[in-house]
Amino acid sequence: MQALELILLLFTIILLSTVLDQLVSGLSLPLIQIAMGMLAAILIGEPFDLTIDADLFLVLFIAPLLYDESRKVSKRSLARHMPSILSLAIGLVVASVFAVGFVLHWLSPSIPLAAALTLGAALGPTDAVAVTALAKSAKLNERQTALLSGEALINDASGIVSFQFAVGLAVTGVFSIREAAAAFTLSFGGGLICGIVLGVVVLGITRAVRSMGLESTVFHVTFEILTPFAIYLIAESLHVSGILAVVGAGLLVTLIPLPSTVYTARISIVSSGVWDVLGFILNGVVFVFLGSNLPSILTHSWEESADPLSLLGLVLVCSAVVILVRYVWVVIADYITMKQGLLADFDSLRDLLVPAWVTTLGGPKGAVTLTIAFTLPYGILGTHGQSIRDELIFLASGIILCTLLLANFVVPALTPFEVSDEEKTRENEVRAAVLRSLISSLTAKFEHRYPIALALIVSRYRREIAELTVGDEFSAISRQLRLDLISHQRGYMNDLLERGEISHFSHDSIEHTLERLEKVLKHRRRRSFNLKSMWTFISNRARSFSEEHRGELNPESVEELRQARMALENFAISYLENVPTTSSTMQQARAYLLRDHRQMLEQLEHTTREQYVSVPQTSDDDSADDIDSTPRYQTMGEQLDFLEVEALRLQLGCIQELREDNKITLTEATMLRDEVYLLQMNQSDLGTH
């Protein structure tokens, strides 16, 4: 029951932390969760008395998190900066072990050198979770991102192996450099090789299941989730690094992806969503646990220590040592990389020193360090003959907090996360280019079959292009002017209905179209595809799919509907001509909308009844007996539904053409395709095909 209470409490705290993250500015989510864990442990207490074995903590939380991170890291950047990454993940860890060890032993002689070295080894790993959170608040360049993410994936293994040898030296007093080097090589290299082999097995199983025709999204995603746990346990049973095995497998699986199909696109989207949620929960648990353990660690160490204030001093000094050693190492690594021609020359010394601070402070210590510290045996004794385990854990916890605080407050100040004007312009240009290509494709294919419905959709796309290319002010004014017009159009249609000049069928049909346009306008600015925009789309599609058209279309009602729409366009033109303009941008937006409605009116005046409502085409394999002799006219809503489905299909081709012509990058094409795939999935689920 205590375990169940703890699980429910953790989920509640994590859920509340998401709310506070939106309300509290300037504080990263990991720090919020640590603070909430501390507060919960102080106020509630008992459920947090349940401790988790450190090895179990590594397999339950760290393994899946690192597997997910290894699948997301840029493989090209990782390969490009691999020498620097290995330097930080191995060389810097060893340097930190000795630097922290000797300084701590010098400042506090009661801590033996071997015991001090164990603390230095525990401080070797950086926290991949904290690095990911940091990337959302600070604008890291490509090299900094590659170094921090790559280092966090690899240095866990080097830190753990160093820690194990340091503990052996502290407990037994025996140490062999040859044995340590051999064991380190076996654990490090063996972990990578084991991970690659198991990654091949994972790919083989996945492809075998597909070859049997068992293409199940549920199976694939569930198999993905189980993979890091199985790989970690197998690697550890072979006495090699389970952490590196998980990382190696994750990198291999990403480097050799499944063939690109609609099925794999669906898997990718579902898998990404599941891992996002799972990763968020695991991250939250890790930091809440870290926070919940701090009160007992601090209280116990403070009470047991003969000089509590000296512990705080040691925390600050050791934190400074860790940071300074790391800073010097990063500066040297950047300078060597520049001399090798792999990095742009620095115009001044500041261009070398300031980015190095970002990389230095951007690698804070975290849950892995605390987990390693908890494995310290009680047999580690000080010179006075008493166990110093709690004292070392206190120092590790204090250093974790110091590095996290510096990463949270200093790094964003050095390199604030801001989207540059060039990046905004580029994204707008890419989206506008896709829409222009899409308009050409739709017009070439459906101009004669669905002229009015096509004109409505093309008009909407052109407004989006104008908003993307002209500027935010034009976008806001144009959208508001359009919304005001729709509101007045509704009032005008209601007046016509009350005077008996149009039927209920024509009124309801036009009202439905206006309502759809209004929803699109209110939610069209979709810089990134989020849950809100997805829900808006699903709601619109579900309404369109379930809408029952009132009345039957016949030649008379079709003509009446066309006349009603012509009257509506005349009203729109008259309304816009009389709208006062207070700025040049307002004049530009009004002129743009006037041109749209005049073109639509002209299109309606020259459109026949058959073109207006259209008769669905039958497939080539339909037999003559299956075709009703009476034509079934498509309503405007049905035509718009059909064209929206076709527009998404054609949009994929437009994206591919732009990519082949090198007008957009691979990253941009992937982002756009993912949005289209998600929309297609929703259409398929709603039965609009």
Side-chain angles (χ1 to χ4, degrees):
M1 181 60 73
Q2 189 178 1
L4 176 61
E5 291 177 358
L6 179 60
I7 292 172
L8 294 177
L9 184 59
L10 285 172
F11 272 76
T12 303
I13 294 173
I14 293 169
L15 187 61
L16 290 175
S17 71
T18 63
V19 178
L20 288 178
D21 186 41
Q22 302 297 317
L23 299 176
V24 180
S25 60
L27 202 62
S28 66
L29 183 60
L31 283 177
I32 292 175
Q33 291 170 338
I34 289 174
M36 294 185 69
M38 292 179 64
L39 186 63
I42 294 171
L43 298 179
I44 302 174
E46 184 176 345
F48 289 102
D49 293 339
L50 181 64
T51 57
I52 296 181
D53 180 78
D55 293 330
L56 181 61
F57 193 85
L58 283 173
V59 68
L60 280 181
F61 299 103
I62 306 303
L65 287 173
L66 288 179
Y67 183 74
D68 184 37
E69 290 300 321
S70 66
R71 293 164 64 244
K72 293 178 180 177
V73 71
S74 171
K75 311 307 179 295
R76 182 176 300 177
S77 297
L78 196 66
R80 181 184 177 189
H81 301 288
M82 185 55 72
S84 297
I85 291 172
L86 292 177
S87 169
L88 292 173
I90 300 176
L92 178 58
V93 168
V94 175
S96 297
V97 169
F98 288 103
V100 172
F102 280 106
V103 170
L104 180 60
H105 175 64
W106 175 64
L107 291 175
S108 180
S110 63
I111 300 178
L113 177 60
L117 291 175
T118 63
L119 177 64
L123 295 172
T126 52
D127 197 290
V129 178
V131 170
T132 302
L134 179 67
K136 298 177 181 178
S137 59
K139 190 171 181 60
L140 307 177
N141 61 37
E142 183 264 346
R143 175 173 169 81
Q144 290 165 342
T145 302
L147 290 182
L148 292 175
S149 58
E151 176 194 15
L153 291 175
I154 299 173
N155 64 6
D156 289 346
S158 56
I160 290 172
V161 173
S162 301
F163 177 81
Q164 291 171 341
F165 285 112
V167 169
L169 174 63
V171 174
T172 65
V174 179
F175 179 75
S176 169
I177 295 179
R178 179 180 298 178
E179 291 181 3
F184 182 87
T185 303
L186 175 63
S187 179
F188 196 93
L192 282 177
I193 294 172
C194 180
I196 292 172
V197 171
L198 292 176
V200 172
V201 173
V202 168
L203 289 173
I205 294 174
T206 303
R207 292 171 190 258
V209 170
R210 289 198 67 207
S211 66
M212 296 168 60
L214 303 176
E215 294 188 341
S216 167
T217 305
V218 174
F219 166 81
H220 189 95
V221 175
T222 305
F223 183 66
E224 265 191 6
I225 294 173
L226 292 176
T227 294
F229 301 109
I231 290 175
Y232 182 91
L233 293 174
I234 292 172
E236 288 293 323
S237 68
L238 297 175
H239 304 291
V240 296
S241 172
I243 293 295
L244 272 178
V246 167
V247 171
L251 292 173
L252 180 73
V253 169
T254 308
L255 285 172
I256 311 177
L258 294 172
S260 181
T261 64
V262 175
Y263 169 70
T264 55
R266 179 186 289 266
I267 286 178
S268 176
I269 294 172
V270 174
S271 173
S272 177
V274 171
W275 275 105
D276 283 345
V277 174
L278 182 62
F280 173 77
I281 293 174
L282 293 178
N283 289 341
V285 170
V286 166
F287 284 109
V288 171
F289 256 121
L290 194 158
S292 66
N293 279 277
L294 288 179
S296 60
I297 293 171
L298 298 176
T299 302
H300 189 267
S301 300
W302 193 271
E303 292 174 350
E304 294 294 324
S305 176
D307 187 5
L309 291 178
S310 67
L311 284 177
L312 294 179
L314 288 175
V315 167
L316 296 177
V317 172
C318 288
S319 297
V321 170
V322 169
I323 292 169
L324 289 175
V325 170
R326 180 178 175 85
Y327 180 71
V328 172
W329 196 280
V330 170
V331 170
I332 294 173
D334 284 350
Y335 182 77
I336 293 174
T337 304
M338 182 194 72
K339 287 299 183 182
Q340 292 174 343
L342 301 177
L343 197 63
D345 291 342
F346 298 106
D347 296 330
S348 65
L349 187 61
R350 184 180 185 278
D351 294 335
L352 174 65
L353 299 181
V354 174
W357 276 117
V358 175
T359 308
T360 298
L361 300 178
K365 313 305 173 184
V368 177
T369 291
L370 190 63
T371 302
I372 294 174
F374 277 135
T375 64
L376 280 167
Y378 288 94
I380 292 186
L381 305 177
T383 55
H384 46 65
Q386 295 181 343
S387 175
I388 56 173
R389 177 180 183 272
D390 291 340
E391 188 174 346
L392 293 176
I393 292 177
F394 175 89
L395 294 175
S397 302
I399 295 169
I400 289 172
L401 280 179
C402 285
T403 56
L404 281 173
L405 288 170
L406 287 171
N408 181 85
F409 293 108
V410 178
V411 174
L414 292 174
T415 173
F417 186 85
E418 294 178 355
V419 179
S420 66
D421 292 337
E422 291 79 9
E423 290 174 321
K424 291 180 181 178
T425 301
R426 174 60 186 172
E427 182 180 347
N428 290 344
E429 289 174 349
V430 167
R431 294 187 180 276
V434 173
L435 289 176
R436 290 190 190 99
S437 180
L438 179 58
I439 289 173
S440 299
S441 298
L442 283 171
T443 302
K445 190 168 185 180
F446 299 109
E447 183 176 15
H448 300 293
R449 185 177 171 193
Y450 300 111
I452 302 302
L454 178 63
L456 285 170
I457 287 184
V458 167
S459 175
R460 188 182 80 196
Y461 289 155
R462 284 175 178 160
R463 285 195 298 271
E464 290 185 16
I465 292 172
E467 293 178 6
L468 288 168
T469 55
V470 176
D472 293 338
E473 184 182 1
F474 174 87
S475 174
I477 291 176
S478 175
R479 190 185 314 115
Q480 188 56 52
L481 184 57
R482 184 73 172 140
L483 288 169
D484 292 342
L485 172 59
I486 290 175
S487 176
H488 284 84
Q489 283 178 314
R490 281 178 163 172
Y492 174 70
M493 294 306 297
N494 289 335
D495 290 341
L496 291 181
L497 180 63
E498 290 178 2
R499 295 199 300 264
E501 296 181 20
I502 60 172
S503 66
H504 282 281
F505 172 76
S506 295
H507 175 273
D508 292 347
S509 178
I510 293 176
E511 172 67 22
H512 181 215
T513 302
L514 292 175
E515 184 179 356
R516 289 174 57 147
L517 290 174
E518 184 179 49
K519 287 184 177 181
V520 170
L521 283 166
K522 288 181 177 179
H523 302 282
R524 187 166 64 243
R525 295 293 288 184
R526 192 169 56 236
R527 295 270 181 189
S528 60
F529 200 83
N530 51 36
L531 290 177
K532 181 179 179 181
S533 59
M534 188 190 342
W535 173 247
T536 301
F537 178 83
I538 294 173
S539 300
N540 291 345
R541 302 302 302 168
R543 178 181 177 86
S544 173
F545 179 69
S546 62
E547 183 90 13
E548 292 187 1
H549 300 288
R550 300 182 180 93
E552 292 294 332
L553 280 175
N554 53 57
E556 291 75 20
S557 60
V558 168
E559 180 60 25
E560 180 195 325
L561 187 55
R562 188 169 74 94
Q563 292 295 331
R565 289 191 180 275
M566 289 171 60
L568 189 67
E569 294 304 320
N570 277 312
F571 172 82
I573 293 170
S574 175
Y575 173 81
L576 290 171
E577 288 177 339
N578 290 284
V579 168
T581 56
T582 56
S583 66
S584 59
T585 307
M586 182 67 171
Q587 285 181 330
Q588 188 180 9
R590 187 183 69 168
Y592 196 92
L593 293 180
L594 272 170
R595 184 182 63 182
D596 257 5
H597 287 283
R598 284 169 179 158
Q599 288 177 345
M600 180 61 68
L601 178 61
E602 183 179 356
Q603 185 80 56
L604 285 166
E605 290 174 343
H606 295 86
T607 300
T608 64
R609 182 185 70 231
E610 287 74 15
Q611 288 177 319
Y612 183 74
V613 293
S614 183
V615 179
Q617 293 181 356
T618 56
S619 58
D620 295 336
D621 57 351
D622 286 339
S623 63
D625 295 337
D626 294 332
I627 302 176
D628 194 336
S629 59
T630 303
R632 184 183 67 81
Y633 295 123
Q634 284 183 312
T635 64
M636 187 59 61
E638 290 174 325
Q639 292 181 48
L640 289 171
D641 286 343
F642 174 78
L643 286 181
E644 285 176 357
V645 172
E646 287 298 299
L648 289 178
R649 185 178 64 81
L650 292 173
Q651 193 169 343
L652 291 173
C654 296
I655 295 170
Q656 183 60 30
E657 289 177 4
L658 292 172
R659 175 70 190 113
E660 291 174 355
D661 294 339
N662 291 321
K663 294 181 179 179
I664 61 175
T665 66
L666 178 61
T667 302
E668 292 165 345
T670 301
M671 174 192 68
L672 294 170
R673 285 196 197 102
D674 286 345
E675 291 182 3
V676 175
Y677 287 145
L678 189 54
L679 291 171
Q680 285 182 324
M681 285 174 56
N682 289 327
Q683 283 184 333
S684 176
D685 294 340
L686 291 166
T688 57
H689 279 36

